Amino acid sequence: MKKFFSDFKAFALKGNIIDMAVGVVIGGAFGKIVSSLVADIISPLISLATGKVTLTDLKWVINPAVTDAAGNITQAETALTYGNFLQSIIDFLIIAFSIFVVIRLMMKAQEKMESLIKKEKEEKEEETEEEAPAEEKEEETELAILKEIRDLMKKE
């Protein structure tokens, strides 16, 4: 049992688990924001076109409710309430689009970072290559001078 808890502790304290927990909390908050956007901003605009108060009021009545003379409902209506479904679809599309935009921005930032690192690496390599030939030229020049001196000494 002790090993189980030590394994769980090692698992729970890994960075990936903490990152995932933060993502779940932020995702939940983001879901509430999107739901509010749909319910409080988008739905009223749609209701202007449909004449209903909210999207959730949209329904297709198959059998209307039956009422008695006093106005009491004796048999409830049979209806397909598709308004909630439409609102969930809009929520999903907004969340999916938002995640797509965030991931795309992150990928572009990562590509830019990689290209900057690659460019910096290439510049360092070019500097190293430029320094090396200069040193070799100096050595060749010294060697050529020493050979000339040797040749002159041989002649004398």
Side-chain angles (χ1 to χ4, degrees):
M1 193 67 161
K2 220 176 195 183
K3 176 144 175 57
F4 175 79
F5 286 116
S6 65
D7 288 346
F8 177 74
K9 182 181 176 184
F11 172 76
L13 295 179
K14 284 185 179 177
N16 295 343
I17 299 300
I18 294 170
D19 292 343
M20 186 176 71
V22 169
V24 167
V25 170
I26 290 174
F30 186 71
K32 288 180 182 179
I33 290 170
V34 170
S35 294
S36 175
L37 172 71
V38 171
D40 300 332
I41 295 174
I42 295 174
S43 291
L45 295 174
I46 293 174
S47 69
L48 289 174
T50 61
K52 300 285 185 179
V53 177
T54 63
L55 268 179
T56 56
D57 291 341
L58 295 175
K59 61 183 173 182
W60 176 42
V61 178
I62 299 171
N63 289 323
V66 178
T67 57
D68 59 10
N72 296 328
I73 298 175
T74 57
Q75 184 180 1
E77 72 179 7
T78 306
L80 294 176
T81 54
Y82 59 91
N84 278 334
F85 180 69
L86 291 176
Q87 186 161 350
S88 295
I89 290 173
I90 293 171
D91 285 353
F92 170 77
L93 292 174
I94 292 172
I95 289 172
F97 179 73
S98 301
I99 290 171
F100 169 75
V101 168
V102 168
I103 289 175
R104 186 165 183 196
L105 289 173
M106 288 174 54
M107 289 175 63
K108 291 224 180 226
Q110 185 178 8
E111 287 173 3
K112 190 169 187 174
M113 184 71 98
E114 287 174 356
S115 69
L116 288 174
I117 290 171
K118 185 178 179 181
K119 185 177 179 181
E120 190 176 289
K121 198 177 209 182
E122 288 173 355
E123 287 175 358
K124 284 184 181 180
E125 288 176 0
E126 287 175 6
E127 288 175 8
T128 306
E129 288 174 0
E130 289 173 2
E131 290 174 6
E135 289 174 6
E136 290 175 9
K137 287 180 182 177
E138 286 179 23
E139 289 177 12
E140 288 176 10
T141 307
E142 288 178 18
L143 186 61
I145 292 171
L146 288 172
K147 285 182 180 179
E148 284 181 38
I149 292 172
R150 181 195 65 196
D151 293 340
L152 287 173
M153 289 177 75
K154 282 184 182 178
K155 286 182 183 178
E156 292 179 14

